[in-house]
């Protein structure tokens, strides 16, 4: 009898010890590399800072440099070159976890055309486009408010059976808050013993710069010193607190669009206002993440919830002005009648100390701070981990921890990343293959200490020893031509292996498509 009771107790303990973790995956949009407090920012983000200090902060986490390609790779575990904007020929995380009893929930941005509930997700509340107004995603003018500025209307799926277009919410609706409200409601609804996978795909702080007035007011005057001064202050904090480790010793050469001292007083005022709203959006994001964490604490589920926080690309230099309807360049109110962006020089600042920004294959385009918080599973908390990781590593991590099976096939490629669970234990990982990057003309390959990168396919390759020069300041291409050639061959081969065609053929095909499109447009104009 004693043996039986011991065996029963041991069995129950083993089941508890091997309990599958809940997963909260938080992806934010167009956040700069240094935009949160624990990365050197002046913006207060206490909730994210707490997750980092009680978890693990990864300082060399890579994405794909672009919104839609990052989202496809993040949820599928393969490079974007192996799929497309609708994630075809892939297994999604939700599909892989479903046989293991996971409830999968998604709130926020999608940037694809399919309904997530057809791909393993049980619930979805969000929009299918790439950018929307945070206050009013439609062009419908609401009573008591001016005409909404927008680049167009995206379909929404509001946790119901059908797509909604246009979506004109109530006046007190704000996207970041609404997504969190839905996430919290789901956490309340699904309080059974099943593990959950909650994907919070926030569209903040992507343009348009929209924020609550009371949040914007908190940052009044904070950016009057200008781009260079804010960038220097962020870098000083990064160095003083040894946030980035030995790979960063200096700032990247800035690709300024403007010099602060050369701007007129009016221009300085307007630029400062842009960053005030951006900071307010980041502050609001942090508040909302705090709400999610508080709910998990209240439910007693925080200890066994694996939280990932990361961004989809570097800060954005884009200016969507010409695409916006009802646009007034001088309207920097932060409400639905406005549609500003931070523009290039603030993007350079937001990405301190790295080189360039969104859409670029250089470090400022492909890097995000990544916070991992899991009290039950992270051995040594409060550490900054400088191991290079990639968002394709999240799928194999969850496959391992969820006891799931990833089924590769003739159509579905194998996972491209490696599990990060060893890093959570304070150990190292073994990555056999280099990290691959290609978006538009930009290209890169990171292999161990070295990174091969170019601005576009018409520019020569540049080579950097990023283990000691992450700001990509000292080009070694002329000193190490054999290394450049070897890495170029590896990049070309990887592209061909993933796409089935050479990069040269790919370029020819794209040029042909452009000609055909131009011909169709010309034909329509003649009619």
């Amino acid at each position: 009898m004693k043996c039986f009771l011991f065996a029963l107790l041991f069995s129950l303990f083993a089941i508890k010890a091997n309990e599958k973790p809940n997963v909260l995956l938080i992806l934010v949009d167009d956040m700069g590399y240094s935009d949160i407090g624990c990365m050197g920012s002046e913006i207060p983000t206490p909730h994210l800072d707490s997750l980092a200090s009680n978890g693990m902060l990864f300082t060399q986490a890579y994405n794909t440099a672009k919104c839609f390609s990052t989202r496809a790779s993040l949820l599928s575990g393969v490079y974007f070159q192996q799929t497309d904007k609708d994630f075809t020929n892939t297994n999604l995380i939700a599909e892989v976890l479903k046989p293991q009893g996971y409830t999968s929930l998604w709130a926020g941005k999608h940037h694809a055309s399919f309904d997530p509930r057809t791909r393993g997700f049980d619930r979805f509340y969000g929009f299918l486009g790439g950018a929307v107004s945070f206050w009013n995603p439609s062009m419908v003018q609401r009573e008591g408010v001016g005409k909404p500025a927008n680049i167009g209307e995206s379909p929404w799926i509001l946790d119901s059976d059908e797509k909604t277009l246009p979506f004109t919410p109530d006046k007190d609706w704000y996207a970041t808050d609404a997504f969190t409200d839905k996430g919290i409601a789901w956490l309340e609804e699904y309080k059974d013993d099943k593990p959950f996978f909650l994907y919070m795909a926030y569209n903040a702080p992507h343009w348009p710069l929209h924020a609550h007035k009371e949040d914007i007011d908190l940052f009044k005057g904070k950016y009057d010193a200008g781009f260079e001064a804010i960038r220097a202050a962020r870098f000083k904090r990064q160095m003083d607190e040894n946030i980035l480790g030995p790979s960063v010793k200096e700032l990247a050469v800035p690709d300024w669009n403007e010099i602060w001292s050369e701007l007129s007083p009016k221009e300085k005022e307007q630029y400062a206002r842009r960053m005030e709203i951006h900071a307010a959006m980041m502050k609001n994001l942090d508040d909302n993440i705090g709400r999610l964490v508080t709910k998990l604490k209240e439910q007693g589920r925080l200890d066994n919830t694996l939280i990932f926080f990361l961004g989809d690309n570097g800060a954005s230099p884009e200016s969507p002005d010409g695409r916006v309807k009802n646009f007034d360049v001088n309207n920097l109110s932060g409400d639905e009648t406005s549609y500003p962006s931070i523009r290039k020089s603030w993007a350079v600042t937001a990405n301190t100390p790295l080189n360039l920004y969104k859409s670029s294959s250089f470090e400022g385009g492909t890097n995000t701070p990544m916070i991992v918080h899991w009290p039950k599973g992270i051995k040594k908390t409060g550490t900054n981990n400088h191991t290079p990781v990639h968002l394709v590593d999240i799928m194999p991590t969850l496959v391992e921890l969820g006891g799931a099976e990833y089924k590769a096939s003739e159509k579905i490629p194998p996972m491209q990343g490696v599990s990060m669970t060893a890093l959570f234990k304070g150990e190292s990982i073994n990555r056999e293959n280099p990290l691959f990057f290609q978006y538009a003309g930009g290209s890169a390959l990171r292999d161990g200490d070295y990174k091969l990168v170019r601005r576009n396919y018409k520019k020569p390759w540049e080579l950097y020893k990023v283990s000691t020069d992450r700001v990509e300041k000292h080009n070694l291409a002329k000193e190490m031509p054999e290394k450049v050639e070897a890495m170029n061959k590896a990049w070309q081969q990887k592209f061909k292996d993933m796409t089935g065609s050479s990069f040269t053929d790919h370029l020819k095909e794209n040029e042909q498509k452009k000609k055909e499109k131009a011909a169709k447009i010309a034909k329509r104009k003649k009619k």
Side-chain angles (χ1 to χ4, degrees), residues 109 127 129-139 147-154 203 206-211 274 277 281 318-343:
K109 178 173 173 176
F127 64 100
V132 293
S133 167
F134 286 76
W135 296 111
N136 180 7
S138 77
M139 296 302 300
K147 289 183 178 180
N150 219 329
I151 59 172
E153 296 172 329
S154 293
N203 56 319
H206 192 291
W207 47 261
L209 298 173
H210 285 168
R274 292 173 188 273
I277 306 173
M281 295 174 81
E318 298 161 324
S319 180
D321 300 4
R323 301 161 54 193
V324 184
K325 300 172 185 176
N326 302 328
F327 180 71
D328 177 1
V329 70
N330 294 311
N331 184 350
L332 299 172
S333 62
D335 65 22
E336 67 190 75
T337 67
S338 66
Y339 211 92
S341 62
I342 60 171
R343 300 186 175 179

Side-chain angles (χ1 to χ4, degrees), residues 271-492:
Y271 266 108
R273 176 69 174 186
R274 292 173 188 273
M275 197 61 181
E276 288 167 10
I277 306 173
H278 176 82
M281 295 174 81
M282 287 301 306
K283 184 263 182 190
N284 174 264
L285 259 176
D286 185 73
D287 290 344
N288 276 282
I289 291 167
R291 291 171 59 204
L292 288 167
V293 172
T294 297
K295 175 56 64 176
L296 291 171
K297 280 182 182 176
E298 290 172 353
Q299 295 179 332
R301 296 201 275 186
L302 183 62
D303 282 357
N304 197 34
T305 297
L306 172 57
I307 301 175
F308 290 95
F309 168 87
L310 67 160
D312 63 350
N313 43 244
S316 172
E318 298 161 324
S319 180
D321 300 4
R323 301 161 54 193
V324 184
K325 300 172 185 176
N326 302 328
F327 180 71
D328 177 1
V329 70
N330 294 311
N331 184 350
L332 299 172
S333 62
D335 65 22
E336 67 190 75
T337 67
S338 66
Y339 211 92
S341 62
I342 60 171
R343 300 186 175 179
K344 185 192 283 189
S345 294
W346 278 130
V348 170
T349 305
N351 282 336
T352 305
L354 303 179
N355 188 21
L356 299 183
Y357 26 69
K358 176 181 177 179
S359 299
S360 163
S361 294
F362 288 80
E363 293 287 284
T366 58
N367 263 256
T368 173
M370 184 174 75
I371 297 170
V372 181
H373 182 274
W374 184 24
K376 187 175 178 179
I378 294 181
K379 186 176 181 180
K380 188 177 180 181
T381 60
T383 57
N384 287 8
N385 194 306
H386 308 304
T387 305
V389 295
H390 193 286
L391 53 85
V392 294
D393 297 334
I394 290 177
M395 171 71 95
T397 303
L398 298 185
V399 166
E400 179 182 345
L401 295 175
E405 181 182 1
Y406 180 97
K407 296 179 180 178
S409 67
E410 186 177 338
K411 287 187 176 180
I412 297 177
M415 294 182 288
Q416 296 298 298
V418 297
S419 174
M420 293 183 282
T421 55
L423 297 173
F424 303 162
K425 300 172 187 176
E427 302 168 0
S428 60
I429 57 174
N430 179 28
R431 189 184 301 279
E432 296 180 357
N433 299 312
L435 295 174
F436 177 89
F437 305 88
Q438 185 264 320
Y439 173 72
S443 318
L445 191 78
R446 170 144 190 188
D447 190 1
D449 291 343
Y450 290 89
K451 180 179 176 184
L452 187 73
V453 61
R454 59 187 175 188
R455 288 176 179 256
N456 61 62
Y457 64 89
K458 294 181 181 179
K459 297 286 186 179
W461 286 110
E462 299 173 31
L463 180 69
Y464 298 96
K465 189 175 182 181
V466 284
S467 59
T468 56
D469 180 25
R470 276 191 70 216
V471 301
E472 298 163 317
K473 204 167 185 178
H474 307 284
N475 184 5
L476 303 174
K478 290 183 179 179
E479 299 173 35
M480 304 176 70
E482 297 87 359
K483 185 73 173 177
V484 172
E485 182 56 30
M487 292 184 72
N488 170 52
K489 285 182 179 179
W491 186 92
Q492 299 287 350

